[in-house]
Amino acid sequence: MASGGSATADWYRTFGTVDAPGSSDCYAEWALGVAQDPELIQRIDELPHTKRQPLLLFAAARFLGAEVSPYPQFRKFLDSHWSEVARTVLSRATQTNEAGRCATLLPSLGLIASQEDRPLALIEVGASAGLALFPDKYSYEFDDGKQVTRLSPPAVGVSPADTPLLRCATEGTVPLPPQLPPVVWRAGIDLNPLDVRNPDDVAWLEALVWPEQEFRRERLHQAIAIAQREPPLLLAGHLNEQLQNLVHQAPGNAALVVFHSAVMGYLSSRDRAEFQAIMANLTARGSHWLSNEGNTVIEQEDGSSVVPNIDEARLKGRFLISHNSKPVAIAGPHGQSLEWL
């Protein structure tokens, strides 16, 4: 019998007290409600371990019509639609495709382009619909508390009003590029790539946006419009099996950057070790590796962690950005902040 002290209950309790506060009052309330609901915890525990995440459950419910509401109303929705929610959870994944993360990756991309004195070729593993593959197509505002630095792409056939604006609060000496680094090739890998031309896939991306974050929903629509005009190359499959395929397709006159955000936690320790070995080989041959991941993952069955240890109190739910395995910055999970180390 599941109880309020189960690992799943702790997972939801952590989400409701650490991850959601300040980002979504609704999700914080829902998560704490679930954590204190032994009957619902028992239902969730009947799902595979990798399908019990708060975000996945909440997005599946909202995809099926659950409204932003107090927990009792949400609980009634789950009672009435549990079979459909469970089917959606089993068939979908938390493929949050947050274009805002480009803001926290941009300084590293700019440094690479400057050091290499070449345009970039981008490969994203865990690419979802590929919206993070367009850092050169978005506009940015970096605010260090004293001044705001703005960067925008050339307005060629696109109104500035139709370009996503990514705002990022910065701390420390962030090496902002003087202009957006050029990207000449972009591709991605995902177990189940989402197609921005498919209405169901677009609806799923919308469901993954947290409640009360209308600005994220608006820029999602703008980013989708860009991807619809210029669909990126997306391969279906496991990253360890498909990565070399894409590497061989990348143009030789560009600096190759392989990057990922919030992906490693979904890999087993064995798959993660294999991926790290692949990347070590690629970086030894001149490619670049940008990792944008949480310091540890919610406990997996193997208990493994994502990246080398860093003070948990300092991270507080944020991500660690590493370039070729060297930590360079701490980032907000949706690209809203960047602290340069």
Side-chain angles (χ1 to χ4, degrees):
M1 175 72 68
S3 70
S6 75
T8 302
D10 289 343
W11 190 344
Y12 279 77
R13 189 174 296 109
T14 298
F15 186 83
T17 56
V18 177
D19 300 320
S23 295
S24 172
D25 292 339
C26 173
Y27 275 7
E29 180 182 346
W30 285 6
L32 292 176
V34 173
Q36 299 167 21
D37 192 329
E39 181 183 347
L40 184 54
I41 290 293
Q42 185 173 4
R43 289 190 207 171
I44 296 171
D45 278 338
E46 293 173 357
L47 299 168
H49 185 270
T50 56
K51 295 293 185 177
R52 300 173 193 167
Q53 309 102 304
L55 278 179
L56 181 56
L57 176 68
F58 297 165
R62 294 181 62 219
F63 179 72
L64 295 168
E67 297 179 353
V68 176
S69 64
Y71 179 72
Q73 184 175 334
F74 173 65
R75 182 64 162 82
K76 289 180 180 178
F77 180 90
L78 292 181
D79 283 340
S80 301
H81 301 83
W82 181 253
S83 60
E84 300 99 314
V85 170
R87 280 198 298 270
T88 303
V89 164
L90 291 172
S91 64
R92 292 282 184 175
T94 49
Q95 296 172 281
T96 302
N97 208 181
E98 181 48 69
R101 290 171 179 158
C102 288
T104 52
L105 295 171
L106 186 71
S108 295
L109 293 173
L111 281 176
I112 292 168
S114 175
Q115 292 167 358
E116 293 268 3
D117 194 24
R118 293 190 292 169
L120 303 177
L122 302 179
I123 296 176
E124 183 181 15
V125 296
S128 186
L131 303 184
L133 286 165
F134 295 91
D136 55 326
K137 305 291 186 180
Y138 303 149
S139 294
Y140 303 83
E141 286 187 359
F142 293 96
D143 187 349
D144 66 3
K146 296 179 181 178
Q147 66 179 13
V148 176
T149 301
R150 296 178 174 85
L151 295 168
S152 297
V156 180
V158 179
S159 167
D162 296 327
T163 302
L165 175 60
L166 312 183
R167 294 184 171 91
C168 181
T170 63
E171 183 178 347
T173 309
V174 180
L176 296 177
Q179 58 191 16
L180 298 184
V183 178
V184 295
W185 185 83
R186 60 195 98 221
I189 307 166
D190 200 279
L191 286 174
N192 181 31
L194 299 181
D195 186 347
V196 292
R197 296 159 294 189
N198 182 315
D200 275 350
D201 284 352
V202 170
W204 179 242
L205 287 171
E206 292 173 342
L208 288 166
V209 176
W210 296 25
E212 304 111 343
Q213 296 189 350
E214 192 58 37
F215 70 97
R216 287 182 62 205
R217 190 179 311 279
E218 179 181 356
R219 73 187 183 197
L220 172 66
H221 293 159
Q222 292 171 325
I224 286 173
I226 289 174
Q228 287 173 335
R229 291 192 294 268
E230 187 181 335
L233 170 62
L234 297 177
L235 296 186
H238 194 283
L239 55 90
N240 288 338
E241 298 170 358
Q242 294 285 15
L243 182 53
Q244 293 289 2
N245 185 1
L246 283 183
V247 168
H248 293 319
Q249 295 183 49
N253 62 346
L256 178 62
V257 182
V258 179
F259 71 98
H260 50 87
S261 297
V263 172
M264 293 295 103
Y266 296 99
L267 299 182
S268 68
S269 57
R270 180 176 180 177
D271 285 342
R272 192 177 305 141
E274 181 180 350
F275 176 72
Q276 290 170 340
I278 293 171
M279 291 311 307
N281 180 266
L282 288 175
T283 56
R285 289 157 45 197
S287 298
H288 296 266
W289 176 19
L290 289 181
S291 169
N292 185 32
E293 300 283 347
N295 178 52
T296 59
V297 295
I298 297 298
E299 186 179 358
Q300 297 188 113
E301 292 178 1
D302 62 13
S304 55
S305 60
V306 176
V307 294
N309 290 332
I310 192 170
D311 184 5
E312 277 295 323
R314 186 176 184 187
L315 279 175
K316 294 181 180 178
R318 294 185 292 170
F319 288 177
L320 186 66
I321 297 180
S322 299
H323 179 198
N324 293 349
S325 298
K326 178 184 177 182
V328 296
I330 296 173
H334 298 136
Q336 67 270 45
S337 64
L338 182 66
E339 177 187 351
W340 204 256
L341 298 175

